[in-house]
């Protein structure tokens, strides 16, 4: 496991762990166990996933979903705002998720299968499928069928994304079926920081992840209304946010985005990220109290923001603007109840003639407010009759879906930024419109003002990590980050 997840593991005092790709000599570290068991490996994997989804991918997703933009008089992330990522960008996150999370989860699955522990198998399989889903959604075709074979195969081929998705669903179904046929408790306890070994919650998480995967396929030939309707009928989705909430206030114990970007780290401490007009103005123009949950005010108590990528046109600094409201102890979320309801609402619009979609939409907004520690009454004031977010029935499918997706986008800020970017790429909501034509009140994005791309084009995929291209003869670097992930088929 890599250094960043080792740091996170100190949060809950289980020691620094070894994994399949060790970079620390256990003989010189008395805090490192000489052997590893399934509980420790699971904790290691969860820390790796959280370190990346709540750290580097939260940073990237926040720029691309247009929650934050590069501050004036700083330039650490200009290349992201410019859509000018180098081929080396994904090196660290790829390594952490493959060598850390996926390998550790593979170990858990192998050990659980030996012992017949169906609960452990289900937890680890679901987390492994979640990790692969994130990887293939941002990198496209990736090593999958040939992956995790160690030195027996150092040049794994890539598997097409549609085949990965199909197999992820099969793996989840098999793990659920095995657990339901012989339900053995995982016994992970508190070393499972997400759900503390609660198998009911993990079954719900597995079902919700299946729904997410199916809905990501909505614009493709693999769309499966029958399977989605079966999930909706079963109605066994998460009722508790899947989050990692064990952060502390000391160095190396803190939320990974905060640790890297908002603490006193030299050259990075709270000087790069300011609020993007795209989201802040949406909140502001709709009198949405989530504005003060997502952003911190200036010392004057105001919330100025910038058009995406406009920082280079100003000479002031980040303190002149609203900034991401992430503190040392802010949880990292893998999936929220709000996201689950929005997935259900979209599914009902697409496959059940909108029946019940409004109820799920309203619950999605309400649970978003709950995640941000706001009140349900504040949400219902906006979703009620005549409210700015009232669900309008009887629209075309895409316009009905747009209502859901705008609220989903508004609910994922500082919660799951990379999923927001994935979903805006899949559905094209909020739309990217030419600068000067945007209407922030309804939810619009613009091309970054410093974009190196043409017209309203924004990135659709990441370059393969150059380290992997250099090592693996079966991976060829893609030509552009405007190529599309396989499910990105909406016109």
């Amino acid at each position: 496991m890599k250094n960043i997840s080792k740091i996170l593991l100190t949060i809950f005092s289980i020691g620094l762990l070894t994994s399949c790709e060790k970079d620390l000599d256990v003989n010189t570290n008395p805090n490192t166990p000489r052997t590893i068991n399934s509980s420790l490996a699971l904790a290691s994997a969860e820390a790796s996933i959280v370190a990346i989804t709540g750290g580097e991918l939260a940073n990237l997703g926040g720029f691309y979903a247009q929650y934050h933009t590069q501050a004036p008089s700083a330039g650490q992330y200009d290349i992201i705002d410019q859509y000018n990522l180098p081929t080396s960008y994904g090196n660290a996150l790829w390594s952490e998720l493959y060598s850390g999370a996926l390998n550790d989860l593979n170990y858990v699955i192998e050990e659980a299968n030996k012992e017949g522990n169906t609960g452990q198998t289900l937890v680890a399989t679901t987390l492994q499928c979640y990790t692969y889903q994130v990887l293939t959604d941002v990198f496209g075709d990736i090593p999958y069928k040939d992956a995790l074979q160690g030195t027996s195969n150092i040049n794994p081929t890539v598997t097409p994304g549609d085949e990965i998705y199909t197999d992820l669903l099969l793996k989840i179904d098999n793990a659920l079926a095995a657990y339901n046929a012989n339900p053995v408790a995982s016994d992970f306890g508190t070393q499972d920081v997400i759900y503390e070994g609660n198998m009911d919650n993990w079954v719900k998480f597995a079902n919700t992840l299946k729904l997410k995967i199916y809905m990501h396929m909505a614009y493709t030939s693999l769309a499966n209304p029958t399977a989605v309707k079966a999930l909706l009928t079963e109605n066994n989705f998460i009722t508790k946010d899947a989050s990692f909430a064990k952060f502390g206030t000391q160095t190396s114990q803190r939320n990974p985005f905060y640790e890297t970007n908002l603490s006193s780290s030299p050259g990075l401490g709270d000087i790069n990220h300011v609020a993007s007009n795209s989201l802040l103005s949406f909140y502001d123009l709709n009198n949405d109290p989530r504005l003060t949950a997502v952003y911190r005010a200036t010392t004057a108590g105001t919330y100025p923001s910038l058009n995406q990528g406009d920082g280079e046109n100003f000479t002031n600094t980040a303190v002149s603007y609203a900034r991401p409201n992430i503190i040392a102890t802010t949880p990292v979320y893998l999936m929220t109840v709000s996201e689950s309801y929005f997935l259900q609402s979209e599914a009902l619009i697409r496959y059940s003639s909108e029946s019940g979609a409004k109820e799920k939409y309203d619950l999605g907004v309400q649970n978003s407010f709950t995640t941000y520690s706001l009140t349900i009454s504040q949400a219902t004031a906006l979703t009620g009759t005549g409210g700015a977010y009232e669900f309008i029935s009887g629209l075309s499918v895409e316009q009905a879906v747009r209502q859901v997706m705008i609220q989903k986008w508004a609910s994922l800020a500082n919660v799951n930024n990379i999923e927001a970017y994935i979903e805006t790429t899949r559905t094209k909501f909020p739309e990217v419109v030419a600068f000067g034509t945007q209407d922030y009140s309804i939810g619009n994005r613009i091309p970054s003002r410093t974009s190196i791309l043409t017209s309203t084009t924004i990135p659709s995929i990441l370059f393969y990590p150059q380290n992997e291209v250099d090592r693996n003869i079966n991976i060829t670097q893609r030509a552009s980050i405007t190529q599309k992930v396989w499910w990105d088929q909406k016109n």
Side-chain angles (χ1 to χ4, degrees):
M1 184 178 60
K2 304 302 180 185
N3 286 330
I4 189 167
S5 53
K6 286 178 180 174
I7 290 171
L8 283 172
L9 287 171
T10 65
I11 296 164
F12 45 100
S13 300
I14 61 172
L16 301 178
L17 310 180
T18 58
S19 75
C20 298
E21 291 284 326
K22 298 185 291 289
D23 58 3
L24 184 65
D25 183 356
V26 297
N27 294 318
T28 62
N29 187 344
N31 295 318
T32 303
R34 294 178 182 271
T35 59
I36 189 170
N37 61 33
S38 293
S39 294
L40 293 176
L42 180 81
S44 167
E46 290 181 345
S48 289
I49 295 167
V50 166
I52 298 304
T53 59
E56 187 52 52
L57 288 179
N59 186 46
L60 178 74
F63 279 103
Y64 282 0
Q66 300 194 2
Y67 296 154
H68 53 240
T69 187
Q70 177 65 57
S73 303
Q76 180 69 25
Y77 300 118
D78 277 340
I79 58 172
I80 300 179
D81 244 356
Q82 294 165 355
Y83 310 144
N84 193 25
L85 290 180
T87 57
S88 62
Y89 172 77
N91 287 345
L93 70 90
W94 178 282
S95 178
E96 183 67 38
L97 291 180
Y98 269 105
S99 297
L102 292 173
N103 265 324
D104 286 336
L105 291 167
N106 217 44
Y107 171 83
V108 176
I109 292 168
E110 289 174 353
E111 293 301 303
N113 287 341
K114 289 177 187 176
E115 298 170 5
N117 191 313
T118 56
Q120 290 189 359
T121 298
L122 176 60
V123 173
T125 298
T126 304
L127 280 172
Q128 196 173 68
C129 290
Y130 178 93
T131 305
Y132 273 124
Q133 173 247 309
V134 173
L135 279 164
T136 191
D137 283 351
V138 297
F139 287 109
D141 302 342
I142 57 172
Y144 177 73
K145 290 182 179 178
D146 293 343
L148 311 183
Q149 295 179 12
T151 56
S152 65
N153 186 355
I154 62 173
N155 292 296
T157 58
V158 298
T159 302
D162 57 340
E163 294 182 23
I164 294 173
Y165 258 46
T166 300
D167 197 61
L168 294 180
L169 290 167
L170 180 62
K171 279 184 166 61
I172 298 170
D173 279 340
N174 288 343
L176 281 168
Y179 176 75
N180 289 332
N182 179 32
V184 179
S186 72
D187 295 326
F188 286 137
T190 57
Q191 287 178 306
D192 164 21
V193 185
I194 307 300
Y195 279 134
E196 297 188 342
N198 185 302
M199 290 310 303
D200 287 342
N201 284 335
W202 278 111
V203 169
K204 293 175 188 291
F205 184 93
N207 285 324
T208 311
L209 179 58
K210 285 177 58 181
L211 181 61
K212 176 190 282 191
I213 292 171
Y214 278 123
M215 296 317 299
H216 280 193
M217 300 190 294
Y219 293 104
T220 78
S221 61
L222 291 182
N224 193 335
T226 300
V228 172
K229 287 179 182 178
L231 279 171
L232 294 173
T233 299
E234 184 180 355
N235 194 29
N236 192 26
F237 303 114
I238 60 172
T239 53
K240 179 182 179 183
D241 291 346
S243 66
F244 186 111
K246 297 291 187 180
F247 298 110
T249 58
Q250 302 300 311
T251 301
S252 300
Q253 297 180 355
R254 303 178 290 201
N255 172 286
F257 184 93
Y258 178 90
E259 185 76 33
T260 300
N261 296 297
L262 303 181
S263 68
S264 57
S265 303
L268 290 176
D270 208 10
I271 64 172
N272 283 290
H273 299 80
V274 300
S276 172
N277 273 343
S278 300
L279 181 63
L280 187 143
S281 293
F282 173 79
Y283 287 149
D284 184 41
L285 294 168
N286 289 295
N287 295 314
D288 189 329
R290 287 179 291 187
L291 187 155
T292 59
V294 172
Y295 297 108
R296 288 173 289 137
T298 65
T299 55
T302 58
Y303 291 87
S305 54
L306 284 172
N307 290 309
Q308 192 71 30
D310 221 12
E312 292 187 2
N313 294 321
F314 297 87
T315 57
N316 49 5
T317 61
V319 295
S320 300
Y321 300 93
R323 286 160 287 166
N325 189 20
I326 297 174
I327 62 175
T329 56
T330 298
V332 170
Y333 298 88
L334 302 189
M335 202 181 306
T336 63
V337 177
S338 173
E339 182 184 352
S340 172
Y341 278 125
F342 287 133
L343 287 166
Q344 294 171 61
S345 184
E346 180 188 359
L348 291 166
I349 291 168
R350 293 191 185 280
Y351 305 133
S352 294
S353 302
E354 201 180 291
S355 177
K358 179 188 185 304
E359 176 188 359
K360 301 298 186 182
Y361 166 92
D362 288 346
L363 287 169
V365 179
Q366 291 171 22
N367 279 275
S368 169
F369 277 57
T370 299
T371 296
Y372 287 124
S373 298
L374 300 169
T375 67
I376 290 178
S377 62
Q378 289 173 296
T380 55
L382 289 165
T383 58
T385 303
Y389 301 153
E390 178 188 5
F391 184 88
I392 306 301
S393 300
L395 301 177
S396 67
V397 168
E398 282 303 301
Q399 285 305 300
V401 168
R402 185 186 195 280
Q403 296 179 94
V404 175
M405 299 313 301
I406 294 299
Q407 283 306 312
K408 190 172 190 178
W409 170 70
S411 75
L412 287 171
N414 299 349
V415 171
N416 194 333
N417 292 357
I418 196 61
E419 184 63 22
Y421 165 60
I422 291 166
E423 287 293 69
T424 58
T425 302
R426 174 177 74 92
T427 66
K428 313 307 178 200
F429 298 131
E431 302 89 342
V432 181
V433 300
F435 180 70
T437 69
Q438 72 271 18
D439 182 352
Y440 288 135
S441 70
I442 65 170
N444 276 167
R445 292 174 293 153
I446 61 169
S448 172
R449 303 291 285 149
T450 57
S451 173
I452 65 168
L453 304 178
T454 59
S455 187
T456 56
T457 304
I458 66 172
S460 304
I461 203 168
L462 298 184
F463 286 118
Y464 286 119
Q466 193 59 44
N467 283 352
E468 186 69 16
V469 174
D470 293 341
R471 287 194 296 252
N472 187 342
I473 62 174
N474 288 318
I475 292 185
T476 302
Q477 186 59 270
R478 58 178 46 95
S480 170
I481 56 175
T482 62
Q483 293 179 2
K484 292 185 176 184
V485 177
W486 74 277
W487 43 248
D488 185 3
Q489 298 186 31
K490 181 179 177 181
N491 189 351

